[in-house]
Amino acid sequence: MAEAINHDPRLAIEIAGIRFHNPVIGASGTFGYGLEFAELIDLNRLGGFATKGLSARPLSGNPPPRIVETHGGMLNAIGLQNIGARAFIKEKLPQLRGYDTQIIANVFGYSDDDYIEAISILNDGEGIVAYELNISCPNVKEGGIVIGNSPESAARLTEKARRASTRPLIVKLSPNVTDVTLVARAIADAGADCLSLINTIVGMSVDVNTRRPRLSYGTGGLSGPAIRPIAVRMVYEVARAVDVPLIGIGGIACASDALEFIIAGATAIQIGTANYYDPTVTMKVIDGLSAHCQSNGIEKLNSITKSILTE
Amino acid sequence: MAEAINHDPRLAIEIAGIRFHNPVIGASGTFGYGLEFAELIDLNRLGGFATKGLSARPLSGNPPPRIVETHGGMLNAIGLQNIGARAFIKEKLPQLRGYDTQIIANVFGYSDDDYIEAISILNDGEGIVAYELNISCPNVKEGGIVIGNSPESAARLTEKARRASTRPLIVKLSPNVTDVTLVARAIADAGADCLSLINTIVGMSVDVNTRRPRLSYGTGGLSGPAIRPIAVRMVYEVARAVDVPLIGIGGIACASDALEFIIAGATAIQIGTANYYDPTVTMKVIDGLSAHCQSNGIEKLNSITKSILTE
Amino acid sequence: MMIETLATVESNRELAPGYRLLTVDFKQDVQVSPGQFAMLKAHASIEPLLRRALAVYGVQGSRRISFLYQVLGRGTEALAQVEKEASVEALLPLGNNWPVERAANQRAIVVAGGIGSASVLMLCKELAASSVDAQLFFGAASKNAATGCGLADLSALGLPLTLTTDDGSLGERGFVTAPLERHLREGAGAGATIYACGPWVMMKRVAEIAAQFEVRCLVSLEAPMGCGFGVCVGCVVAIKTDGPLGYDSYKRVCTEGSIFPAETIRWEVNAMTH
Amino acid sequence: MMIETLATVESNRELAPGYRLLTVDFKQDVQVSPGQFAMLKAHASIEPLLRRALAVYGVQGSRRISFLYQVLGRGTEALAQVEKEASVEALLPLGNNWPVERAANQRAIVVAGGIGSASVLMLCKELAASSVDAQLFFGAASKNAATGCGLADLSALGLPLTLTTDDGSLGERGFVTAPLERHLREGAGAGATIYACGPWVMMKRVAEIAAQFEVRCLVSLEAPMGCGFGVCVGCVVAIKTDGPLGYDSYKRVCTEGSIFPAETIRWEVNAMTH
Ligand SMILES: Cc1cc2nc3c(=O)[nH]c(=O)nc-3n(C[C@H](O)[C@H](O)[C@H](O)COP(=O)(O)OP(=O)(O)OC[C@H]3O[C@@H](n4cnc5c(N)ncnc54)[C@H](O)[C@@H]3O)c2cc1C
Ligand SMILES: Cc1cc2nc3c(=O)[nH]c(=O)nc-3n(C[C@H](O)[C@H](O)[C@H](O)COP(=O)(O)OP(=O)(O)OC[C@H]3O[C@@H](n4cnc5c(N)ncnc54)[C@H](O)[C@@H]3O)c2cc1C
Ligand SMILES: Cc1cc2nc3c(=O)[nH]c(=O)nc-3n(C[C@H](O)[C@H](O)[C@H](O)COP(=O)(O)O)c2cc1C
Ligand SMILES: Cc1cc2nc3c(=O)[nH]c(=O)nc-3n(C[C@H](O)[C@H](O)[C@H](O)COP(=O)(O)O)c2cc1C
Ligand code: FES
Ligand code: FES
């Protein structure tokens, strides 16, 4: 078992009955299967993490180049390369159970059935505390439709997943929509326990010498500090539209960034791209949140969720 | 009249019968009424510029703070402060006619009637070559609806404006939509001569000490290099969906940025935020485009519009 | 005539922790009046994007200009890294200037708070060289801040100087508005013009005091600036007009200002900025 | 064991225009094998965000490590600005290493193209100190590039060295693959291992030549890297598997590589990266 750690009690939160040491969660696709960070940070101090998107069967992903850096961010078109839900249970979960952190299985499929199949497999995985449905990956449009971009298809899948799942259900919202509150409301009404947002924003970068896109897939998902203002705005909007707890994601690289999301309406936050260029960023954000509580006399960090002042 | 200038003939373009010295256009709201740049650059070398959004009557705009810098960009909620269409004709146009550059009047209203009224007034303004309808400003939602976010309302307004206008009509697209090609097609079908894109993306930044948004308006429009990948992607998508010429906008700060848009499908480009931090950027981009033609043996820059290679 | 150029750094030294003096060579003649400012940025620095507004602190000869600045956030931190011989992107001169009437019986009262001192040194020099009866009130957070904000340069002018620090580490303890108020209460405001530059709350209080004693008062305002030359309309301040907020309600700090008659400012509307 | 730390810069000097040698002190013992790399970034620099992959060029003592790099784009430009005493964010050691078998009759052929030299200097040192019969082929664009890519350090090892430059300004004119091919044609490949690092096209050609002469060949690949430690899956290279591209088709250059047996690479699939 994990060694004893002095968690700051002011940071503890609960979402759908799951207790997190703190609201700092590693974002899916940027935290591998968690174990990659075992040498870099103390996983027992982390609120939790979301696995790389898991599908019923392993996926190979897109050909390279898969990533390109842009101003303040990066584009990726990984294409959901993953070892598959079964291999995750067999090869990763046993080791992960040795850590005192909350493991969220991020789930992906090309069709409703794919999702349900993946969830059914993962239901047998001991140590997973919740599912996060990735219905918003911009890099794998089969038939040109992203499920998460329409309230109807998103609600339909959420309902099915709700029935299939033995665990709390987080649904991850797409930012590539006209009105994020419409999709959010449909998903919340369909039974999601929590919404996480945002996934990446579809973008493109062109090599002006070869006149080709810099990613083999053509377009990719934009992440990093560049998108933070868009993400904060969406969390703010969704917090006014639904009653379920929110997990804020998008360009968080320090405690102050995390606080923007919390004040705008998030109960927890996920850190993605920043893990790449600052592998210990999650620990720094946890420390920074403690410091903020300290200097502002905050007894429970979650008391400032949605405390934003607007007239 | 303007002094003689050696324009690079390779850069000349034509949109809806209007000839531009080159494809470099100052973006609305970042180029004032043009005259502010007279001391800084040679306006006669510029392809053209779009005025600050003009409404039938003067507008006061939003209270401060109106701008805040973010990573790779800035948020603004100016609220369309402008001197009004009549004052523009009387106070600005006479001086502007002394310059050999193309003047596009950017037009704004709260209702269809407002737009039509502004256009009727501007029709009398000698020296304006085209209108650019700003149907996508995120900072002035009367009744919560942005006309440019729905294909129906966008097409309706475009048709009305088409009838009211004596000049070519450019319609400026909102990026805050699920599928930009739907709106683009509706607007093109309704008779627009050209589409410009993108306007700013709705965002928010929160002061974690005061727990207030950093802009008095709450949300604002994100511009600058941070949004470039999103803008390039939308130009790429729209170029495949419509046949009218496109003007690419979003985070352009150098010739290579401009070329990304051109290769993705733009005939011309507009430069916005970069004018603030590099007031002579338009001249640098013009020179850079010439250099690119030179070193790549390009005889007509517009021959590489939409030359992007994708399999 | 505005000059947009790459200027060469001659020195960029720390005056006190958190405060620096930057001197640059414009390699061409520059005409600047007291109270005007420049937009500055380290050359080719990618982040932050926007230049920062800094008042012209001093002019040596016709081409060398210095700026006194406080290192606060990303922009001034980037500026603090700039080394001798490096280039800064600069646009100047910008904004209006402190009007100095040289009538024999005119009096000047200069009130500087913190780094607001940077905007008034040239004014004080002009006053010191003139026949105007000038009085200087300077408030800073601490002795360190006072040093960093150029106390030595201000003192050297020989004008009567009243110094306050918030923590009492130098001069009178408290805010600079206290001795100012005493001074006016003693009748020193008759025929005077108050020139004030400092934090928003200080200027607001100075404006109230000036109104109370019916003394003419000019303030140099700060606002977040996108461009500095009038095109973004991001730097506005709400101005008193007849009736409600209307078309004329907002003036650009960079163009119509940064110096405004204190009584024209709608202090309450702009409060959120500060 | 990976080390994530702030290392202190001891020197960062230009070897030739466009090429620099960075030496940093890790203030703790670091174990690095030839061919491994680090992810590096100037501390607290805001743009670009991502660290850059640099091979470990040399190790002095147990704590001091040097990197040889070419200044190409934003990341290496930012690194070039870093001064003595400043900090760099560093994660290392990363990736696998060049395997050296010390069997008496084994032969080693090292092929370095351009800055690929950075990845093989430690390998060459190890070979020079061993009983292995080693031969070095080094190609660069020009005399300047050869100097910048550490020609002096490579020469100093005393291994037989064949040098080419694209423009003929030093050594043989042409690509380094020409003398390599001659060498193998003369039968020198028997029982040898080729260790190659350089531009993609060079390594592809080396792989073809190695296949033709049936010589074992290892290549150290480059790929755009998001993280360097295996979590972003952005740095993959397509690997030959039975059948079409499938789950096993992609391997991470940062984790399963950067060194791969040349014959396992699907050179055509990855072509777009280069
Ligand atoms: C006309 C004018 C003249 C000026 N002259 C000088 C001068 O001579 N010397 C000098 O040191 N400063 C001067 N300033 C202020 C200076 O421009 C700001 O300190 C600077 O923009 C802050 O940039 P930053 O990147 O360091 O901070 P940011 O990262 O932009 O912000 C850092 C912190 O400072 C706050 N802040 C940012 N801008 C302002 C502002 N305008 N007013 C109040 N708080 C702000 C932010 O809220 C934040 O907390 C002047 C401003 C104006 C408008
Ligand atoms: C395992 C590994 C070890 C490396 N070791 C060294 C080393 O020891 N010394 C050294 O100088 N370089 C080394 N590199 C390459 C180095 O990482 C790149 O040169 C660097 O990332 C470029 O960053 P930049 O910011 O300068 O360029 P960017 O701004 O990222 O790009 C500048 C130009 O270089 C091109 N470019 C960027 N990355 C690569 C790449 N990986 N391959 C080819 N072209 C690229 C871009 O297309 C662009 O045209 C290594 C790379 C890897 C993967
Ligand atoms: C390389 C990469 C891979 C990602 N893979 C996934 C994924 O598998 N599932 C998912 O839900 N989100 C995925 N994301 C999205 C992130 O979890 C996150 O929502 C997004 O990057 C925004 O946060 P950030 O700006 O902090 O990175 C990925 C992001 C990146 C950069
Ligand atoms: C301060 C500011 C004011 C703007 N005002 C207008 C406007 O009045 N009308 C309009 O159509 N677009 C307006 N825009 C949008 C720009 O024209 C442009 O579409 C957008 O900023 C993206 O380009 P950029 O990244 O180059 O700035 C404004 C942008 C900024 C930053
Ligand atoms: S700073 Fe842009 S108008 Fe004043
Ligand atoms: S660089 Fe991220 S997995 Fe290799």
Side-chain angles (χ1 to χ4, degrees):
Chain A
M1 259 311 294
E3 57 188 304
I5 298 214
N6 260 337
H7 295 292
D8 182 342
R10 295 171 299 198
L11 304 189
I13 56 152
E14 208 179 283
I15 291 179
I18 310 161
R19 237 187 93 87
F20 293 83
H21 301 316
N22 55 61
V24 179
I25 301 173
S28 175
T30 68
F31 225 74
Y33 302 107
L35 300 166
E36 293 88 338
F37 281 87
E39 275 187 41
L40 290 162
I41 60 173
D42 185 349
L43 284 171
N44 302 306
R45 287 195 61 209
L46 192 67
F49 75 90
T51 65
K52 175 74 197 163
L54 296 167
S55 45
R57 270 160 296 275
L59 291 176
S60 65
N62 295 323
R66 290 178 170 186
I67 58 170
V68 61
E69 188 166 2
T70 65
H71 194 129
M74 62 181 278
L75 290 168
N76 89 79
I78 305 299
L80 271 308
Q81 174 170 350
N82 81 95
I83 59 174
R86 282 191 189 83
F88 174 73
I89 293 177
K90 216 173 121 211
E91 296 164 23
K92 307 291 176 182
L93 263 184
Q95 289 178 72
L96 282 170
R97 281 193 290 267
Y99 295 98
D100 177 25
T101 191
Q102 303 295 24
I103 300 157
I104 298 167
N106 183 278
V107 180
F108 173 76
Y110 292 106
S111 67
D112 289 9
D113 289 350
D114 283 354
Y115 282 93
I116 305 311
E117 190 181 347
I119 290 174
S120 315
I121 299 168
L122 291 166
N123 277 339
D124 294 334
E126 194 195 321
I128 297 168
V129 298
Y131 301 124
E132 180 179 53
L133 291 198
N134 175 8
I135 59 167
S136 45
C137 181
N139 303 324
V140 280
K141 312 175 255 235
E142 295 273 292
I145 306 283
V146 179
I147 295 176
N149 284 358
S150 126
E152 295 75 29
S153 54
R156 192 195 58 224
L157 174 58
T158 304
E159 254 171 50
K160 291 188 197 170
R162 177 65 293 163
R163 279 198 299 274
S165 164
T166 58
R167 302 192 165 111
L169 196 64
I170 304 165
V171 180
K172 187 160 176 181
L173 301 182
S174 164
N176 302 294
V177 295
T178 308
D179 186 347
V180 68
T181 65
L182 293 183
V183 193
R185 231 180 269 127
I187 294 173
D189 289 349
D193 299 292
C194 171
L195 304 178
S196 60
L197 68 165
I198 60 176
N199 211 316
T200 56
I201 305 178
V202 186
M204 179 185 248
S205 175
V206 179
D207 183 322
V208 302
N209 295 312
T210 63
R211 294 186 199 153
R212 289 181 182 279
R214 286 184 195 271
L215 297 179
S216 73
Y217 187 74
T219 57
L222 185 64
S223 64
I227 68 169
R228 191 190 316 128
I230 302 171
V232 171
R233 182 261 300 181
M234 290 194 169
V235 166
Y236 169 77
E237 289 176 346
V238 171
R240 259 133 213 85
V242 301
D243 279 326
V244 297
L246 305 182
I247 301 175
I249 322 170
I252 297 175
C254 66
S256 151
D257 297 344
L259 286 162
E260 290 201 43
F261 283 87
I262 291 170
I263 294 167
T267 298
I269 56 92
Q270 290 182 12
I271 301 180
T273 305
N275 288 299
Y276 299 157
Y277 58 89
D278 187 5
T280 65
V281 62
T282 46
M283 300 294 114
K284 294 176 191 166
V285 170
I286 294 168
D287 292 340
L289 292 177
S290 282
H292 185 81
C293 289
Q294 191 64 35
S295 55
N296 290 274
I298 297 170
E299 279 172 38
K300 274 284 171 195
L301 183 60
N302 67 15
S303 69
I304 68 166
T305 286
K306 210 175 148 180
S307 63
I308 190 163
L309 298 167
T310 46
E311 301 86 339
Chain B
M1 259 311 292
E3 57 188 304
I5 299 214
N6 260 337
H7 295 291
D8 182 341
R10 295 171 299 197
L11 303 189
I13 56 151
E14 208 179 281
I15 291 180
I18 310 161
R19 237 187 93 87
F20 293 82
H21 301 316
N22 55 61
V24 178
I25 300 173
S28 176
T30 69
F31 225 75
Y33 302 107
L35 300 166
E36 293 89 339
F37 280 86
E39 274 187 41
L40 290 162
I41 61 171
D42 185 348
L43 284 171
N44 302 305
R45 287 195 61 210
L46 193 66
F49 74 92
T51 65
K52 175 74 197 161
L54 296 167
S55 44
R57 270 160 297 276
L59 291 176
S60 65
N62 295 324
R66 290 178 170 186
I67 58 171
V68 61
E69 189 166 2
T70 64
H71 195 130
M74 62 181 278
L75 290 168
N76 89 79
I78 306 299
L80 271 309
Q81 174 171 350
N82 80 94
I83 59 173
R86 282 192 189 84
F88 174 73
I89 294 178
K90 216 174 122 210
E91 295 164 23
K92 307 291 177 183
L93 263 185
Q95 288 178 72
L96 282 170
R97 280 193 291 267
Y99 296 97
D100 177 26
T101 190
Q102 301 296 23
I103 301 157
I104 298 168
N106 183 278
V107 180
F108 173 76
Y110 292 105
S111 66
D112 288 10
D113 289 350
D114 283 354
Y115 281 93
I116 305 311
E117 190 183 345
I119 290 175
S120 314
I121 298 168
L122 291 166
N123 277 339
D124 294 334
E126 194 194 322
I128 298 168
V129 297
Y131 300 124
E132 179 179 53
L133 291 198
N134 174 8
I135 58 167
S136 44
C137 181
N139 303 323
V140 280
K141 311 175 257 234
E142 295 272 293
I145 306 284
V146 178
I147 295 176
N149 284 359
S150 127
E152 294 75 30
S153 54
R156 191 195 58 221
L157 174 58
T158 303
E159 254 172 49
K160 291 188 196 169
R162 178 65 291 163
R163 279 197 301 272
S165 164
T166 57
R167 302 190 165 113
L169 197 64
I170 305 164
V171 179
K172 187 160 176 181
L173 302 182
S174 165
N176 303 294
V177 295
T178 308
D179 186 346
V180 68
T181 66
L182 293 183
V183 192
R185 231 180 269 127
I187 293 172
D189 290 348
D193 299 292
C194 170
L195 304 178
S196 59
L197 67 165
I198 60 175
N199 211 316
T200 56
I201 305 177
V202 187
M204 180 185 248
S205 175
V206 179
D207 183 324
V208 303
N209 294 313
T210 63
R211 294 185 199 152
R212 291 179 182 280
R214 286 184 194 271
L215 297 178
S216 73
Y217 187 73
T219 57
L222 185 64
S223 64
I227 67 168
R228 193 190 315 128
I230 302 171
V232 170
R233 181 262 300 182
M234 290 195 169
V235 166
Y236 170 78
E237 289 176 346
V238 171
R240 258 133 214 87
V242 301
D243 279 327
V244 297
L246 305 182
I247 301 175
I249 322 171
I252 297 175
C254 65
S256 152
D257 297 343
L259 286 162
E260 289 202 43
F261 283 87
I262 291 169
I263 294 166
T267 298
I269 56 93
Q270 291 182 10
I271 301 179
T273 305
N275 288 298
Y276 299 157
Y277 58 89
D278 187 4
T280 65
V281 62
T282 46
M283 301 294 113
K284 294 176 190 165
V285 171
I286 293 168
D287 293 340
L289 292 176
S290 282
H292 184 82
C293 288
Q294 192 64 34
S295 54
N296 290 274
I298 297 170
E299 279 172 37
K300 274 285 171 195
L301 182 61
N302 67 15
S303 70
I304 67 166
T305 287
K306 210 175 150 181
S307 63
I308 189 164
L309 298 166
T310 46
E311 301 87 339
Chain C
M1 186 72 187
M2 277 190 284
I3 295 178
E4 158 70 22
T5 194
L6 282 182
T8 306
V9 174
E10 296 214 331
S11 68
N12 186 14
R13 65 189 177 85
E14 190 175 82
L15 281 197
Y19 298 89
R20 302 183 80 91
L21 184 71
L22 171 73
T23 303
V24 298
D25 180 356
F26 278 85
K27 291 165 281 177
Q28 60 186 299
D29 288 355
V30 188
Q31 289 282 353
V32 197
S33 304
Q36 288 192 298
F37 69 97
M39 293 295 287
L40 292 175
K41 181 182 167 179
H43 181 46
S45 84
I46 321 181
E47 275 286 328
L49 297 169
L50 300 177
R51 299 180 182 182
R52 296 298 190 256
L54 293 185
V56 172
Y57 182 63
V59 178
Q60 293 99 45
S62 55
R63 306 162 156 230
R64 213 185 292 141
I65 292 192
S66 57
F67 302 92
L68 183 70
Y69 64 103
Q70 183 176 5
V71 182
L72 272 177
R74 297 192 303 156
T76 46
E77 269 160 22
L79 213 50
Q81 304 299 319
V82 172
E83 315 241 335
K84 192 171 149 72
E85 318 259 281
S87 300
V88 290
E89 301 170 7
L91 177 66
L92 90 172
L94 300 168
N96 59 4
N97 57 285
W98 297 114
V100 178
E101 288 89 25
R102 290 205 177 68
N105 65 346
Q106 203 228 349
R107 286 172 175 186
I109 300 172
V110 179
V111 187
I115 198 69
S117 59
S119 171
V120 301
L121 182 73
M122 281 178 72
L123 166 71
C124 291
K125 261 199 186 132
E126 192 168 324
L127 291 171
S130 77
S131 54
V132 177
D133 167 16
Q135 183 88 22
L136 178 54
F137 293 86
F138 178 34
S142 62
K143 185 177 166 185
N144 176 67
T147 308
C149 294
L151 176 59
D153 290 333
L154 284 171
S155 310
L157 298 176
L159 295 177
L161 169 65
T162 307
L163 177 72
T164 65
T165 54
D166 301 358
D167 64 1
S169 52
L170 199 68
E172 184 178 327
R173 182 195 213 100
F175 295 135
V176 70
T177 42
L180 170 70
E181 200 174 346
R182 281 202 312 268
H183 190 61
L184 296 187
R185 204 177 294 286
E186 287 157 11
T193 298
I194 298 176
Y195 302 88
C197 186
W200 185 263
V201 283
M202 180 205 93
M203 288 192 283
K204 184 163 178 253
R205 183 76 194 108
V206 170
E208 286 164 6
I209 296 171
Q212 184 191 338
F213 291 98
E214 295 178 355
V215 184
R216 177 183 181 220
C217 178
L218 299 168
V219 288
S220 176
L221 298 181
E222 275 195 17
M225 290 198 171
C227 65
F229 58 101
V231 290
C232 75
V233 207
C235 62
V236 296
V237 62
I239 292 288
K240 285 185 191 140
T241 44
D242 301 336
L245 285 175
Y247 160 51
D248 294 337
S249 304
Y250 296 110
K251 293 232 184 293
R252 294 167 298 184
V253 171
C254 71
T255 304
E256 283 82 43
S258 63
I259 297 159
F260 295 92
E263 76 277 8
T264 64
I265 307 298
R266 289 188 192 242
W267 296 95
E268 68 299 348
V269 176
N270 309 291
M272 229 191 90
T273 320
H274 301 275
Chain D
M1 184 74 186
M2 277 190 284
I3 294 177
E4 159 68 23
T5 192
L6 282 182
T8 304
V9 174
E10 297 214 329
S11 68
N12 185 14
R13 65 191 177 83
E14 190 175 82
L15 280 197
Y19 298 89
R20 304 183 80 92
L21 184 71
L22 171 72
T23 304
V24 298
D25 180 356
F26 277 85
K27 291 164 282 177
Q28 60 186 298
D29 287 356
V30 189
Q31 289 282 354
V32 197
S33 303
Q36 288 192 298
F37 68 98
M39 293 295 287
L40 291 175
K41 181 181 167 180
H43 180 47
S45 83
I46 322 180
E47 275 287 325
L49 297 169
L50 301 176
R51 300 178 181 182
R52 296 298 190 258
L54 293 185
V56 173
Y57 183 61
V59 179
Q60 293 100 45
S62 56
R63 306 161 157 231
R64 213 185 293 142
I65 292 192
S66 58
F67 303 92
L68 184 69
Y69 64 102
Q70 183 176 6
V71 181
L72 271 177
R74 297 192 301 156
T76 46
E77 271 160 22
L79 212 51
Q81 304 299 319
V82 172
E83 316 241 336
K84 192 170 148 69
E85 319 260 279
S87 299
V88 290
E89 302 169 7
L91 177 67
L92 90 173
L94 300 167
N96 58 5
N97 57 282
W98 297 115
V100 178
E101 287 89 27
R102 288 205 179 69
N105 66 346
Q106 202 226 351
R107 287 173 173 185
I109 301 171
V110 180
V111 188
I115 198 69
S117 59
S119 171
V120 300
L121 182 72
M122 281 179 72
L123 166 70
C124 291
K125 264 202 184 127
E126 191 169 325
L127 291 170
S130 76
S131 56
V132 177
D133 165 17
Q135 183 89 21
L136 177 55
F137 293 86
F138 177 34
S142 62
K143 185 177 166 186
N144 175 66
T147 310
C149 294
L151 176 60
D153 290 332
L154 285 171
S155 310
L157 298 176
L159 295 177
L161 168 66
T162 307
L163 177 73
T164 65
T165 54
D166 301 358
D167 63 1
S169 51
L170 198 69
E172 184 178 326
R173 182 197 214 96
F175 296 134
V176 70
T177 42
L180 170 70
E181 199 174 346
R182 282 201 311 268
H183 189 64
L184 297 187
R185 205 176 293 284
E186 289 157 10
T193 298
I194 298 175
Y195 303 87
C197 186
W200 185 263
V201 282
M202 179 205 95
M203 288 191 284
K204 184 164 179 248
R205 184 76 194 106
V206 171
E208 286 164 5
I209 296 170
Q212 183 190 338
F213 293 97
E214 296 179 356
V215 184
R216 177 185 180 219
C217 178
L218 299 168
V219 289
S220 176
L221 298 181
E222 275 195 18
M225 290 200 171
C227 66
F229 58 101
V231 291
C232 76
V233 208
C235 63
V236 297
V237 64
I239 292 288
K240 284 184 191 140
T241 43
D242 301 336
L245 285 176
Y247 160 52
D248 294 337
S249 305
Y250 296 110
K251 293 232 183 292
R252 294 167 298 184
V253 171
C254 71
T255 304
E256 283 83 43
S258 63
I259 297 159
F260 295 92
E263 75 278 8
T264 65
I265 306 298
R266 289 190 192 242
W267 296 96
E268 69 299 349
V269 177
N270 309 291
M272 229 191 92
T273 320
H274 302 276

